[in-house]
Amino acid sequence: MAGILNAKIPEGPLDQKWTLHKESLKTVSPANRGGMHIIVVGTGLAGASAAAALGEQGFRVNVFCMGDSPRRAHSVSAQGGINAAKNYRNDNDSVQRLFLDTLKGGDFRSREANVYRLAEVSNAIIDHCVALGVPFARDYAGYLDNRSFGGSQVSRTFYARGQTGQQLLLAAYGALNRQVALGNVTVHCRHQMMDLVVIDGQAKGIITRDMVTGRIERYPAHAVVLATGGYANVYFLSTNSMNSNASALVQCWKKGAFFANPGFVQIHPTCIPVHGTHQSKLTLMSESLRNDGRIWVPKNKATAEHLREGTLKPSEVHENERDYYLERRYPAYGNLVPRDVASRAAKERCDAGLGINKTGKAVYLDFEKAVETQGKASIDRKYGNLFQMYEKITDNNPYKEPMQIFPAMHYTMGGLWVDYNLMTTIRGLFAIGEANFSDHGANRLGASALMQCLADGFFILPYTLPDYLEAEIGEPLPDTAHPDFIQASEKVKQRIHNLMRIGRRTPVDDLHRELGKLMWEHAGIVRSAEGLSGTFIELDAIRDRFRKETGIPGSDKTVNKELEKALHMEDYLLLAGLMIKDALHREESCGGHFRVESQTKEGETLRNDKEFQYVAAWEYKDSDTEPVLHKEPLVFSYINVTERKYK
Amino acid sequence: MHFTLKIWRQAGPRAKGYFEKFTIDNVDSDTSFLEMLDMLNNQLVKENRESIAFDHDCREGICGACGLYINGRAHGPDDDVTTCQLYMRRFKNGSEITMEPFRSGAFPVIKDLMVNRSAFDKILQAGGFVSVNTGSAPEAHTTLISREKAEESMDASSCIGCGACVASCKNGSAMLFVASRVSALSLLPQGKPEACRRARAMVLKMDEMGFGSCTNIGTCQMECPKNITVANIARLNREFLYCKRSDLQ
């Protein structure tokens, strides 16, 4: 137990912790549940599943989403699949192996007990999703099919073509809809959470903005659950949906929820490369493509030059002239190394002058051999929609010419600090899914995000939240006329007023793009003390221009996308500073956090377990005071912390 | 590239709408349609004019948020794509492009190009799910489903709920939308006991929400960005009819 952080990890052997813990958790009797109100913010896989499961138990749930329907949440974009330790392929998979792969994938910067629990509940997720009617891929005998994802040597990923996230979300959204019909859940669409209301140290409600009328509204509850996703859009260009934002996270941080490992972000190796200056987002090409696609660049620079100029076609590059660099460097895992490793390797080859597109920032993902051995029909069945998406965007047919790919900002492992019960440092405020930090350490393995969201929402929070609520039985729903509610709502109105009255002509997008560029360069694939410390001045300059030059035409009493963007931007600017501070303080390399000062002779990450085997949880003080670092030491009692090798 | 944009403006659900013309220059042919609209909106901010409201989110054709009626077609001139997957190279340089919202009686305009599609949620709330409580599912492999059925269900389940079918239908019918959900579930053994109730409840809700009836024109299939076929509508009708018969018994 270090400092004020108590992770509340239960006693007992690793494989019994969750079982024993569940037995010790308090429950709320069915007769009392109808009087207890819970707010869930966000309707992605985590939020929708949590709201549905809590509704099923009989609690009263108010759900908020910023889209026009819960089904639009960013989980819908997840392509490749969801992991589970079913061992249906008889390839020696197990809960223990999924646990070890995930912990090692996160480079030993996640909590042992949490990761074990995640692996433990993974199988129940598949059972439940099948029951909900998810049309998972099947073999001819009718059994569930699997494919492989990075960072594992077994085949444990369940999938529904390249639309797994969509199908799982439709299932969770269906479960949510059922509770809406039963009257247990109320959904508020087109609402953005603006602030958390904390009364006497307990989360008691939220302030929202109705994105159609501009009304600032107050909603009370006995507990608040944050399922608002990650903060990858700090980088402007990312694979996240355009409306995904960090505002709810940042507002809760400001209200006292510690922010853990903000500098741990994931850059996905296989995305469609950046093309023009007006580009608004980047498109992911699923990691599952690396099951059959081979990544390569030419061996020599002259060939690369010809490819860049278009005087040579990739099909004309002889096999001997190609460098399948992942297969060469990591023979044991080949093209299926974890994402951070694959991203760095791509950058390394492009920095060496071997990039193959006009900008020099792209490598090939080639399906020639797979089509040759398995046939076009088989490849089409597995990845058809991805190939189509690629062709629509780039105007190139991946059956004729290899895909061009490059790493892009994708996911954030950091998030609000939570204990084993998924409660933040504010009592009554819970964080689930990508919004929390606990399971993926310094790098998340592919197909684990969907698993974590549904684990948190379906199988963990519905057990741990009642334990908190039990003490609240009999407590009346807070009055929205309480001074803390009024103060929070007035503050939101003032904040909007301040932004509207800047009244200049610079679009928020322009400033956001600058912020993104800064973050990508210095807090991206590769980081250095010099680069990171140099960003503070530039960050201040962008912040200053934002305050003085932003233009938000129109009124705040109607749909106003520019106002929404400005509110998000203000929060990104604050969070960016924290991310840099965190990345700067962690003088080691681990997972996706690669500090040039800390690497092996072969250019791999070099951890410093002695000094940095901890979770960095940052406390917000006020706008004039630097955030304060609290450390939660990571104790590994059941595994040996080793060098993370994929060779 | 440069274009003249003729865009539907409407301040609110009850306000009178009108077309407003804009010009835009220096558009790269690789720019997506929505990025072109971003450029226009940024241009408007610089002129201190109110930007154009439109729905969008994932920008990779899966969330179903975006939907514009472009030159008289839902999601524009390309087949099998959503508005966000449309690229400016598809348009003739210097041409005029007309943009309207997804118009339909059941989709009231919120502002400019943004419409209210919450009626879709209400239809799904009426029965578009399998009623299974968390924790009560059997082991996944106790339910075997042939690959063909799973694939067919997946085809139906690819609907993104964008509303192009409704906006293109001269009757403003939501049959393709309802049929896709009903089919996706009815092709699977899960939830069979409630199949009859599901079809009936969803169709009744669809009527209640003010959508029109289906007269087998097939425009919905033509304009669906996800290739949902009218065969699903036939399946829905079958489910519905069985349902009525069993009701009578």
Side-chain angles (χ1 to χ4, degrees):
Chain A
M1 244 53 73
I4 55 174
L5 291 172
N6 179 0
K8 296 192 182 146
I9 296 165
E11 297 296 321
L14 188 62
D15 60 355
Q16 286 170 44
K17 279 183 195 291
W18 179 231
T19 308
L20 295 172
H21 187 61
K22 276 191 288 187
E23 286 167 10
S24 76
L25 289 172
K26 292 188 281 291
T27 52
V28 176
S29 88
N32 282 327
R33 291 176 200 164
M36 312 231 63
H37 293 250
I38 301 163
I39 281 174
V40 176
V41 189
T43 58
L45 282 181
S49 59
L54 292 165
E56 286 163 17
Q57 292 185 3
F59 291 105
R60 290 283 166 271
V61 188
N62 269 296
V63 177
F64 295 83
C65 81
M66 60 182 172
D68 73 327
S69 163
R71 67 182 297 161
R72 316 278 184 224
H74 179 56
S75 301
V76 81
S77 301
Q79 299 170 353
I82 176 165
N83 286 331
K86 284 282 193 187
N87 192 33
Y88 283 162
R89 299 276 85 75
N90 196 31
D91 53 2
N92 197 5
D93 197 9
S94 60
V95 167
Q96 179 73 12
R97 195 175 293 275
L98 174 55
F99 154 68
L100 285 173
D101 282 350
T102 309
L103 202 71
K104 177 184 168 192
D107 215 350
F108 306 96
R109 288 294 172 264
S110 44
R111 239 188 238 148
E112 190 180 59
N114 286 52
V115 179
Y116 193 89
R117 176 176 63 183
L118 176 67
E120 202 178 333
V121 302
S122 67
N123 292 341
I125 296 171
I126 301 303
D127 297 341
H128 190 51
C129 288
V130 167
L132 284 169
V134 173
F136 282 121
R138 300 206 170 233
D139 62 21
Y140 285 111
Y143 292 95
L144 290 159
D145 196 14
N146 290 110
R147 55 187 173 203
S148 305
F149 258 61
S152 93
Q153 290 179 321
V154 294
S155 207
R156 64 159 73 100
T157 306
F158 295 80
Y159 65 101
R161 291 191 195 147
Q163 295 146 257
T164 316
Q166 178 200 29
Q167 293 308 313
L168 294 176
L169 186 62
L170 282 176
Y173 161 68
L176 178 72
N177 281 337
R178 177 172 163 241
Q179 293 309 311
V180 173
L182 292 170
N184 297 326
V185 175
T186 308
V187 179
H188 307 262
C189 292
R190 296 195 192 269
H191 275 67
Q192 166 83 42
M193 173 175 165
M194 299 297 299
D195 204 357
L196 178 76
V197 179
V198 182
I199 301 175
D200 298 329
Q202 279 178 296
K204 289 289 184 183
I206 63 169
I207 308 292
T208 62
R209 178 173 182 271
D210 180 322
M211 293 155 82
V212 174
T213 63
R215 265 173 56 112
I216 304 302
E217 297 165 353
R218 309 169 207 165
Y219 291 94
H222 291 100
V224 177
V225 179
L226 221 56
T228 54
Y231 47 94
N233 273 345
V234 168
Y235 291 74
F236 188 72
L237 286 179
S238 84
T239 63
N240 283 25
S241 290
M242 298 294 288
N243 296 328
S244 299
N245 66 79
S247 289
L249 289 181
V250 171
Q251 293 308 320
C252 290
W253 179 49
K254 288 174 85 170
K255 278 287 163 81
F258 291 5
F259 208 119
N261 300 334
F264 285 173
V265 301
Q266 175 163 83
I267 290 161
H268 197 294
T270 55
C271 300
I272 297 176
V274 178
H275 53 87
T277 48
H278 295 290
Q279 195 160 357
S280 58
K281 73 156 282 178
L282 298 170
T283 305
L284 173 76
M285 286 287 110
S286 169
E287 176 159 321
S288 61
L289 293 168
R290 288 197 269 144
N291 271 274
D292 292 302
R294 300 176 72 198
I295 293 177
W296 65 276
V297 292
K299 277 183 182 158
N300 68 64
K301 282 193 203 174
T303 316
E305 191 111 336
H306 287 303
L307 288 164
R308 283 201 287 271
E309 286 163 2
T311 50
L312 188 72
K313 282 187 190 156
S315 55
E316 292 165 350
V317 181
H318 191 267
E319 196 66 20
N320 300 336
E321 291 286 300
R322 300 179 180 190
D323 178 16
Y324 295 95
Y325 58 86
L326 290 177
E327 296 170 28
R328 168 173 59 80
R329 283 178 68 176
Y330 309 100
Y333 284 73
N335 290 294
L336 282 174
V337 289
R339 293 174 177 175
D340 56 329
V341 178
S343 288
R344 272 194 297 279
K347 184 182 184 324
E348 189 272 333
R349 287 290 82 188
C350 290
D351 287 351
L354 294 156
I356 49 80
N357 72 347
K358 267 187 247 170
T359 63
K361 284 179 179 163
V363 300
Y364 289 124
L365 178 61
D366 200 330
F367 294 89
E368 195 185 351
K369 199 170 168 193
V371 172
E372 212 176 277
T373 52
Q374 301 173 41
K376 195 175 167 222
S378 163
I379 297 299
D380 199 48
R381 194 176 55 75
K382 283 194 258 187
Y383 314 113
N385 71 317
L386 299 172
F387 276 42
Q388 184 226 26
M389 199 198 297
Y390 181 87
E391 187 172 355
K392 287 292 172 194
I393 294 173
T394 62
D395 217 10
N396 287 316
N397 180 348
Y399 286 113
K400 292 185 181 142
E401 218 177 276
M403 284 184 182
Q404 299 186 359
I405 50 145
F406 197 69
M409 193 47 221
H410 179 56
Y411 182 89
T412 52
M413 282 77 69
L416 294 189
W417 185 90
V418 289
D419 63 16
Y420 191 72
N421 291 329
L422 304 180
M423 188 153 83
T424 67
T425 50
I426 298 175
R427 279 186 298 139
L429 175 69
F430 293 74
I432 58 175
E434 194 179 346
N436 76 28
F437 86 102
S438 69
D439 295 350
H440 306 297
N443 172 62
R444 178 175 65 76
L445 288 186
S448 286
L450 303 184
M451 172 172 66
Q452 186 224 336
C453 286
L454 291 179
D456 288 359
F458 275 140
F459 295 109
I460 300 171
L461 189 78
Y463 289 83
T464 60
L465 184 58
D467 181 68
Y468 168 79
L469 288 174
E470 195 266 348
E472 299 289 303
I473 293 173
E475 283 287 319
L477 199 59
D479 185 355
T480 53
H482 188 284
D484 288 334
F485 262 101
I486 293 174
Q487 200 197 5
S489 110
E490 287 310 309
K491 236 175 123 181
V492 168
K493 286 179 190 164
Q494 188 58 45
R495 189 180 163 208
I496 291 170
H497 176 74
N498 289 346
L499 286 171
M500 294 300 293
R501 74 166 184 202
I502 300 172
R504 302 302 289 268
R505 306 268 174 108
T506 303
V508 178
D509 281 353
D510 288 4
L511 298 165
H512 191 180
R513 196 175 276 115
E514 275 181 46
L515 172 68
K517 202 164 160 263
L518 183 73
M519 293 297 285
W520 178 252
E521 270 168 28
H522 299 295
I525 302 178
V526 168
R527 295 125 181 237
S528 70
E530 198 192 345
L532 286 165
S533 42
T535 55
F536 289 111
I537 296 169
E538 285 179 72
L539 198 56
D540 279 343
I542 299 173
R543 206 174 280 145
D544 198 47
R545 285 182 54 210
F546 174 75
R547 280 189 202 124
K548 290 178 183 153
E549 296 173 15
T550 302
I552 308 171
S555 152
D556 63 326
K557 301 289 185 289
T558 168
V559 176
N560 191 331
K561 285 279 167 194
E562 294 305 317
L563 172 62
E564 288 168 26
K565 283 192 253 181
L567 286 163
H568 298 162
M569 180 67 181
E570 203 172 34
D571 295 326
Y572 289 146
L573 284 165
L574 188 63
L575 184 52
L578 181 69
M579 291 166 72
I580 291 167
K581 202 174 164 63
D582 182 56
L584 186 61
H585 110 281
R586 192 172 279 276
E587 292 171 338
E588 64 161 350
S589 293
C590 54
H593 172 69
F594 188 81
R595 286 281 300 263
V596 289
E597 303 91 351
S598 182
Q599 54 180 307
T600 65
K601 263 183 274 172
E602 297 87 30
E604 305 292 343
T605 51
L606 187 62
R607 282 198 323 263
N608 179 349
D609 291 333
K610 223 169 132 190
E611 286 178 77
F612 291 99
Q613 193 167 296
Y614 61 77
V615 175
W618 299 87
E619 180 188 7
Y620 180 84
K621 286 293 184 189
D622 57 62
S623 55
D624 300 321
T625 317
E626 287 292 312
V628 175
L629 172 67
H630 301 273
K631 297 176 185 177
E632 180 205 331
L634 290 166
V635 183
F636 298 97
S637 316
Y638 298 87
I639 52 130
N640 291 322
V641 177
T642 55
E643 191 192 336
R644 181 170 169 253
K645 270 191 186 152
Y646 291 99
K647 289 193 189 291
Chain B
M1 299 176 91
H2 64 100
F3 301 96
T4 304
L5 308 172
K6 194 177 146 195
I7 301 178
W8 184 259
R9 304 299 306 259
Q10 188 172 333
R14 283 182 194 83
K16 196 170 164 0
Y18 58 94
F19 278 106
E20 189 174 356
K21 276 195 184 183
F22 304 89
T23 54
I24 189 158
D25 305 314
N26 297 321
V27 181
D28 194 87
S29 62
D30 279 338
T31 305
S32 77
F33 196 87
L34 295 185
E35 281 162 7
M36 184 273 297
L37 273 182
D38 291 342
M39 285 172 70
L40 176 67
N41 274 342
N42 283 338
Q43 194 175 301
L44 292 176
V45 172
K46 286 175 187 159
E47 296 164 9
N48 198 24
R49 293 164 71 190
E50 197 169 353
S51 59
I52 293 143
F54 63 96
D55 268 319
H56 66 98
D57 202 3
C58 76
R59 296 209 175 181
E60 45 192 60
I62 195 79
C63 77
C66 69
L68 300 180
Y69 220 68
I70 302 163
N71 291 343
R73 284 190 70 183
H75 294 303
D78 268 359
D79 289 335
D80 309 336
V81 294
T82 55
T83 304
C84 64
Q85 292 175 297
L86 188 60
Y87 283 77
M88 295 318 290
R89 55 179 171 261
R90 189 64 184 70
F91 295 87
K92 207 173 141 226
N93 193 17
S95 60
E96 181 175 286
I97 303 171
T98 307
M99 279 170 245
E100 294 169 81
F102 273 7
R103 292 182 200 279
S104 194
F107 288 171
V109 171
I110 293 174
K111 190 180 179 181
D112 298 341
L113 303 170
M114 204 180 243
V115 296
N116 183 348
R117 288 169 290 192
S118 58
F120 271 9
D121 283 338
K122 302 237 166 59
I123 294 173
L124 292 182
Q125 283 159 12
F129 44 76
V130 177
S131 303
V132 54
N133 278 349
T134 313
S136 50
E139 211 295 322
H141 267 175
T142 54
T143 315
L144 297 186
I145 302 166
S146 74
R147 172 183 275 189
E148 291 76 11
K149 285 282 180 225
E151 293 290 318
E152 219 180 326
S153 169
M154 182 66 211
D155 285 339
S157 198
S158 296
C159 168
I160 56 173
C162 64
C165 47
V166 174
S168 321
C169 176
K170 65 171 188 170
N171 304 324
S173 172
M175 278 294 268
L176 195 67
F177 170 78
V178 176
S180 69
R181 194 73 239 145
V182 167
S183 285
L185 293 174
S186 73
L187 283 158
L188 303 173
Q190 302 95 310
K192 260 283 182 283
E194 57 185 334
C196 165
R197 198 196 63 82
R198 174 187 306 126
R200 189 173 168 78
M202 288 174 73
V203 169
L204 291 179
K205 183 55 88 173
M206 171 179 74
D207 292 345
E208 185 195 319
M209 298 313 294
F211 291 99
S213 301
C214 175
T215 49
N216 294 320
I217 308 293
T219 324
C220 51
Q221 173 177 303
M222 292 280 295
E223 297 295 36
C224 174
K226 296 292 154 185
N227 273 318
I228 311 285
T229 65
V230 291
N232 292 295
I233 295 183
R235 194 177 288 110
L236 167 64
N237 285 333
R238 214 153 50 227
E239 293 265 322
F240 186 75
L241 285 174
Y242 278 130
C243 177
K244 285 185 101 167
R245 199 177 58 186
S246 62
D247 270 3
L248 288 171
Q249 281 162 0

